């Protein structure tokens, strides 16, 4: 077996987030959008200044994405809301799980056509209690995958014909055939099995070579995989055990940004990883793609 590539990320924001998640790069503002789920914060980190602006929301925040209107679409404990950054105003849109108060939204991302895909998680981690939804720009919402436990990473293949998806407790990355015209998915199969000793697959992104970057919760790392073979290609070491998600950012999308968490770690564990909850970054020589805003 060929040796894997290895890198080490640096902490670029010692945020001490409870549950840092959901990073995406906003090219117009040249900032990293990310959230702290359990602190109900939407954050914009500016790598040029080191500043981090935060917006406190009324409920837990799973993920936020930019929209073509210039505001943010946020998947929260109480469904989908719009956040106007200039005023901080929060406008509820709809909640497909209004009848499931034990769930909150978790990870999400827009597909190449600008539809927003976001999945849920049960606070008590009941297996199969969650779902993956698709919110269209028309604001029609549809349940796309049911019997989910911890809906997490999403990525689309470079040709736009495959959706990659992580339901964390399965320890797998699965693939679906994806129809960009209709937004339909079919033919679920497993493409990557993450060995138990590496950690649990969480957030995910894709690079310009079509390889998948998967954050491993409990694994102190982000890993790079070949979706065609299931082979592990590389590992980014992170000084935080609960590595949660990643995205490419910077003007040429050549910086991998990584979020992490402090939640569930006792004071002894935190003393060994004081940067837990920070945002990390690394140049790996690989580049990603611009994130697609909601609505087109
Ligand atoms: Ca996650």
């Amino acid at each position: 077996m060929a040796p894997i590539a290895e890198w080490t990320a640096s902490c670029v924001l010692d945020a001490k987030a409870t549950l840092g998640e959901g990073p995406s790069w906003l090219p117009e503002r040249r900032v990293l959008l990310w959230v702290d789920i359990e602190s109900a914060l939407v954050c914009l980190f500016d790598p040029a200044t080191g500043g981090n602006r935060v917006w406190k929301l009324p409920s837990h925040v799973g993920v936020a994405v930019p929209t073509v209107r210039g505001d943010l679409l946020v998947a929260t404990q109480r469904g989908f809301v719009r956040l106007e950054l200039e005023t901080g105003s929060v406008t509820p849109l709809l909640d497909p799980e209004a009848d499931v108060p034990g769930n909150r939204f978790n990870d999400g991302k827009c597909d190449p056509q600008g539809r927003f895909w976001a999945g849920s998680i049960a606070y008590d981690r009941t297996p199969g209690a969650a779902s993956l939804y698709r919110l269209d720009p028309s604001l029609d919402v549809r349940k796309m995958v049911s019997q989910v436990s911890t809906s997490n990473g999403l990525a689309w293949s470079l040709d736009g014909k495959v959706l990659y998806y992580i339901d964390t407790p399965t320890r797998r990355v699965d693939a679906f055939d994806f129809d960009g015209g209709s937004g339909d998915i079919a033919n679920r199969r497993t493409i990557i099995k993450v060995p138990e000793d590496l950690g649990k697959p969480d957030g995910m992104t894709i690079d310009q070579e079509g390889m998948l970057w998967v954050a491993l919760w409990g694994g102190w790392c982000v890993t790079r995989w070949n979706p065609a073979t299931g082979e592990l290609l590389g590992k980014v070491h992170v000084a935080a055990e609960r590595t949660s998600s990643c995205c490419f950012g910077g003007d040429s999308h050549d910086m991998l940004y990584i979020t992490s968490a402090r939640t569930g770690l006792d004071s002894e564990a935190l003393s060994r990883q004081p940067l837990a909850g920070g945002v990390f970054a690394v140049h790996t020589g690989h580049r990603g793609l611009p994130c697609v805003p909601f609505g087109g």
Side-chain angles (χ1 to χ4, degrees):
M1 203 171 75
I4 64 168
E6 296 195 60
W7 307 271
T8 299
S10 305
C11 184
V12 291
L13 178 66
D14 185 10
K16 299 207 170 10
T18 305
L19 179 48
E21 271 283 1
S24 59
W25 181 256
L26 307 187
E28 300 82 13
R29 295 172 184 262
R30 302 170 111 178
V31 294
L32 184 78
L33 168 64
W34 65 288
V35 303
D36 182 344
I37 293 178
E38 295 184 352
S39 302
L41 298 180
V42 172
C43 313
L44 291 185
F45 167 61
D46 183 345
T49 65
N52 188 54
R53 289 180 67 194
V54 303
W55 288 258
K56 177 93 175 173
L57 269 68
S59 64
H60 287 172
V61 174
V63 67
V65 294
T67 79
V68 292
R69 291 165 39 152
D71 60 1
L72 299 182
L73 173 62
V74 191
T76 77
Q77 184 182 355
R78 296 180 198 154
F80 301 116
V81 306
R82 286 188 181 276
L83 169 61
E84 196 70 55
L85 290 172
E86 279 62 38
T87 62
S89 74
V90 174
T91 309
L93 288 178
L94 71 164
D95 185 359
E97 293 198 338
D99 57 339
V100 195
N103 282 9
R104 65 161 167 82
F105 268 99
N106 199 39
D107 208 343
K109 194 173 285 178
C110 289
D111 69 22
Q113 288 75 26
R115 309 175 192 93
F116 182 48
W117 295 65
S120 56
I121 180 173
Y123 277 102
D124 66 3
R125 302 297 185 266
T126 302
S131 300
L132 175 66
Y133 298 89
R134 191 189 83 205
L135 179 68
D136 293 349
S138 60
L139 300 186
D140 290 315
V141 67
R142 190 176 301 245
K143 185 183 289 189
M144 302 304 291
V145 184
S146 52
Q147 292 289 310
V148 175
S149 296
T150 302
S151 193
N152 256 316
L154 295 155
W156 282 265
S157 63
L158 301 184
D159 65 6
K161 292 181 175 173
V162 179
L163 164 63
Y164 302 110
Y165 180 52
I166 292 170
D167 181 1
T168 292
T170 65
R171 297 182 178 277
R172 307 188 313 247
V173 181
D174 285 355
F176 295 86
D177 296 340
F178 176 69
D179 182 329
S182 65
D184 290 337
I185 53 174
N187 188 25
R188 184 174 187 166
R189 66 272 186 190
T190 296
I191 53 159
I192 294 166
K193 290 182 176 170
V194 178
E196 201 155 322
D197 59 346
L198 282 187
K200 295 183 194 169
D202 196 331
M204 173 166 60
T205 193
I206 191 164
D207 66 28
Q208 291 183 4
E209 295 146 277
M211 301 298 131
L212 296 174
W213 297 73
V214 179
L216 295 183
W217 181 267
W220 304 84
C221 66
V222 171
T223 42
R224 182 175 190 247
W225 302 80
N226 184 340
T229 63
E231 181 189 6
L232 176 65
L233 302 173
K235 182 184 273 195
V236 177
H237 299 275
V238 180
E241 170 188 342
R242 301 196 153 177
T243 310
S244 55
S245 191
C246 59
C247 76
F248 286 95
D251 288 342
S252 48
H253 294 92
D254 61 348
M255 183 74 91
L256 185 72
Y257 285 100
I258 300 164
T259 52
S260 68
R262 299 172 76 79
T263 188
L265 297 173
D266 62 22
S267 54
E268 191 190 35
L270 288 171
S271 72
R272 289 193 300 270
Q273 45 182 308
L275 297 175
V279 176
F280 295 79
V282 62
H283 277 116
T284 63
H286 301 284
R287 294 178 183 212
L289 302 142
C291 94
V292 180
F294 177 65

